[in-house]
Amino acid sequence: MIPLFTIGFLEINWLDIADILLVTVLLYQLYKVLTGSVALKIFVGLLSVYLLYLVVKAAGMELLTIILGQFMGVGVLAMIILFQQEIRRFLMMIGKSSPLNKDNFFLGFPWRKTESENRINLTPFIEAAKSLAGKNTGALIVFARSSELKFYADSGDLIDAVVSKRLILSIFNKTSPLHDGAVIIANNRIKAARCILPVTENNDVPASMGLRHRAAIGLSEVTDSVVLVVSEETGQISLVRNGEVYRNLAAADLRSKLNHFLFDIEPKSTAAPAGEKSVPVA
């Protein structure tokens, strides 16, 4: 391949530039996954040991080279064990951003045509959220999208019931044995209640957000689900998607956001609704 230019004895061509750009993107994505967690410090520690290994090897220090060489020999296996959660998040992030994962990619196929015609009725959720917020009763409702979230549904009690406002209010009643946890909505039905969600490890989450918000953020980081949160402390209604929290939503704003996030229906107004605050934490 014909070089574009040379730097000393190095010949740079288009393939080298593409290689550097791809490595830069990869390192940036790794930084996004690791930032805000203790895993970043572990990664920096391993990198420091590797740089030390290169220095002692170049200096000809045989004893240290052998010791560090044995350590580096199991470095890949150690990284897989130490960073299994981060590796999973990284692969999930790639999968979420892949064109093959976009809902509209398969909309042209016959088996997907009925999906847009069978949209879930949002009114019971909005009315229930308003009622729960007025009583300062906490709630956590997950709207499954490309995945039915079977793993998380199995962590709770399977219900498979028709959606209704009364049932949602009954589940999140403080005296109900099902109120402690999340409700998962899949295939237009209440699939399960009292479900356990993964809590985000991101340290940038504001202290004003409690465990419900952290659980909603954690699930939205590893899936494409949309999560509705009613705060027990403030009574505020929030939506969480892709690690971003949209707080203090009124009923009209909640409906607009749900239509946009679940059905890709653009809001009528492009201006941000009053009282809405987006908190990026991913």
Side-chain angles (χ1 to χ4, degrees), residues 25-34 83-97 221-222:
V25 172
L26 177 63
L27 291 176
Y28 174 69
Q29 295 297 334
L30 283 173
Y31 173 78
K32 284 179 63 179
V33 171
L34 296 177
F83 299 124
Q84 55 180 323
Q85 293 294 332
E86 284 70 25
I87 292 173
R88 183 172 180 271
R89 286 173 55 194
F90 179 67
L91 294 177
M92 288 292 295
M93 184 172 61
I94 293 176
K96 286 171 64 178
S97 61
E221 288 174 339
V222 297

Side-chain angles (χ1 to χ4, degrees), residues 63 212 280:
L63 184 58
R212 283 190 180 87

Side-chain angles (χ1 to χ4, degrees), residues 53 56 61-72:
Y53 168 72
V56 299
M61 304 171 69
E62 295 183 4
L63 184 58
L64 270 178
T65 301
I66 294 174
I67 295 174
L68 293 177
Q70 293 295 325
F71 179 80
M72 298 308 302

